[in-house]
Each structure stands twice: as C-alpha cells, then as structure tokens.
Amino acid sequence: MRKDLRADILNEKHVEPSTVCVGGFNTIVVDSLQLADTMLRDCIANRRKEEESKLVFSSNGQGVSLAGTNPDFMKTMEQAHIIHADGMSVVWASRILASKPLPSRVATSDFFYDAAEVAQANGLSFYMFGGSELQNSTAVQAIKKKFPNLKIVGRRHGYFCEQDDEDICREIVESGADVLWVGLGKPLQEEWCVRNKKKLKGIGWIKTCGGLYGFLGGTSRRAPGWLQHIGFEWAFRAALNPRHLLLRYLITNPHAIYRMVRYTKR
C-alpha cells in the first residue's frame, strides 16, 4: 500500500509533466504512478471550486487510426486536458520517432489499480459509469473487495439516450465524486465527456476507461503479460472474437502505424 500522499502533493513545488506529440496526440510523459499522483493533485485542487473537470483520455492504435478517418473525433480528442499512452504501439513510436520517449505504457486497466490505491489512501471518491448492468455491478463488487476503504459514491450502466444526460450528470455531481470513470467505448465515451463537461463542474477528473468494467469484474479476459509487453494484446483479443475484431485490426493497425510515423513530432 502506498503512503498517504496528500501532504506531499499539497506542499511540494509542483512541476507539470511534459508532453510529446505521438500520432497527432499530445501525450503526457508519465508512468502509471505519476499519473495517479497527478489525479490526486487535480482532484484536491478542484474540490468545492465549481470549475470544469479535467478530461483525461487515452491513446492507442485504434484511437490514432480513428482520428485520421473521423475529423470530429480528432476535434474531440483535442478537448482533453490529459492524454496518456494506453497502447504499447504509442510507446514504441515515441521511442523510435519522437523528441522525447514515453517511460512506459499506462494501460487504463492497470492504471485503475494505482488510481484506486492512491484514492483510498487519500479519501478520493469514484463514480463508475458505463458498461452493461452486469459488467458494472460485478466490477463494483470486485473493487469493493480489493479496496474496502475506497469510496464508491455511485454507479450506473451505460445504456441511455442523449436526453438522459441532464439527469445522469445531476446524479453524478450530487454524489460528490472526485473521479468519474466513463466506460462507453471509443468514440462514444469521449464524445459524451466533451458534450457534458459543463454539466459536471466540480468533478476533479473525468476519465475514459473503455472495457475496464469487464476486466475488473472478470467477464472479459486480458492478454498474458508477455503479449501485452510486446504490443500484441490486439492479437489476443482478435483470437477471442475474430468475427468482430480481426478485420478491424487488419485495417486499423497499418493505418495507425502510418499516422504514428507521419504525425509524431521528432
């Protein structure tokens, strides 16, 4: 368990992490623990200030490719305050092509555990939004079992109409959450965050999380660690669901590589 960081976070002289442009996205140069500490600082600073939340999105091959075919998604990603490297391909591109290498991949499914540990030690609260009802409820049960002192102040599945946004946001704000986890899948989750950021003032972080709930609750399987390390988690997912994923990866992977080569700043 990590030590209580609140005194250090508030008293030390803070230097904002730098960014590097990889595949067209300005990507924060941090590891998972540093990103968790940034979360803590931002959430404490935003409490009771009624300021707009920080939008925290992730970058991987799918997102880099999607930004090249969907200009609206690129504009949505540009609204993010923080973009971190969720895909190993982004880290490799930074090490080969960029002016500054990223220290490591910060996969959301791994980062959640560092974020939860820091939150539990420092009194931050989470709201879990997205996924199916089964995925969401099972994930929250798993979180409470692993982090019994973590404040989960609310949860909601991700099936709704745009007309429900007002009520959903009101419920989230009234919960007093410091961090809102949004798992709706790309690009819906990023679009929802940007569309509703003004309705969510006072929340410290709005963090997209894709399929996190399935992994937390055990309804989805992750690739073995060695496959993740060499950047072939996509192949594992495609093998589990070839009908829906294989063609997508065969199209998006080459396109993502092209965009990383062309739109990474040296």
Side-chain angles (χ1 to χ4, degrees), residues 19-44:
T19 62
V20 61
C21 184
V22 183
F25 297 147
N26 290 323
T27 309
I28 191 170
V29 183
V30 292
D31 61 23
S32 184
L33 292 177
Q34 290 168 332
L35 186 60
D37 292 348
T38 299
M39 174 196 73
L40 175 60
R41 179 185 296 277
D42 290 343
C43 288
I44 291 176

Side-chain angles (χ1 to χ4, degrees), residues 73 76 84 99 120 195:
F73 179 69
T76 297
H84 65 89
S99 57
Q120 179 173 252
R195 186 172 75 237

Side-chain angles (χ1 to χ4, degrees), residues 20-225:
V20 61
C21 184
V22 183
F25 297 147
N26 290 323
T27 309
I28 191 170
V29 183
V30 292
D31 61 23
S32 184
L33 292 177
Q34 290 168 332
L35 186 60
D37 292 348
T38 299
M39 174 196 73
L40 175 60
R41 179 185 296 277
D42 290 343
C43 288
I44 291 176
N46 197 34
R47 279 181 171 171
R48 298 179 298 278
K49 289 189 177 180
E50 294 297 316
E51 294 179 357
E52 281 192 13
S53 311
K54 284 198 172 181
L55 303 181
V56 184
F57 298 163
S58 62
S59 172
N60 56 19
Q62 178 197 2
V64 169
S65 176
L66 184 60
T69 58
N70 185 340
D72 289 337
F73 179 69
M74 186 67 192
K75 292 177 182 178
T76 297
M77 289 294 291
E78 289 171 348
Q79 298 294 310
H81 298 83
I82 294 173
I83 298 175
H84 65 89
D86 188 273
M88 198 63 204
S89 59
V90 179
V91 177
W92 285 347
S94 76
R95 293 175 179 174
I96 297 170
L97 302 169
S99 57
K100 181 181 295 185
L102 296 167
S104 64
R105 176 191 183 197
V106 185
T108 302
S109 300
D110 297 324
F111 167 68
F112 178 83
Y113 292 96
D114 289 327
E117 194 168 310
V118 168
Q120 179 173 252
N122 294 276
L124 297 187
S125 57
F126 288 176
Y127 190 106
M128 314 304 294
F129 173 43
S132 68
E133 175 61 24
L134 175 62
Q135 288 176 327
N136 191 292
S137 61
T138 305
V140 169
Q141 290 174 14
I143 295 166
K144 290 180 176 179
K145 184 175 180 179
K146 187 170 183 63
F147 301 98
N149 296 318
L150 176 63
K151 298 177 183 177
I152 305 291
V153 294
R155 71 168 192 87
R156 191 192 191 285
H157 63 76
Y159 290 83
F160 59 94
C161 299
E162 187 172 332
Q163 291 83 355
D164 299 326
D165 283 355
E166 193 78 35
D167 291 337
I168 293 171
C169 291
R170 184 184 305 110
E171 178 183 318
I172 293 168
V173 171
E174 290 177 352
S175 76
D178 293 299
V179 181
L180 168 62
W181 297 84
V182 182
L184 304 175
K186 292 182 185 295
L188 296 179
Q189 60 192 13
E190 289 81 9
E191 293 169 352
W192 187 90
C193 293
V194 170
R195 186 172 75 237
N196 291 289
K197 63 181 180 178
K198 292 184 179 180
K199 300 185 184 77
L200 293 164
K201 288 183 178 180
I203 308 293
W205 261 29
I206 303 176
K207 173 71 185 84
T208 56
C209 60
L212 173 66
Y213 302 131
F215 296 128
L216 290 177
T219 57
S220 299
R221 292 169 58 192
R222 291 202 68 190

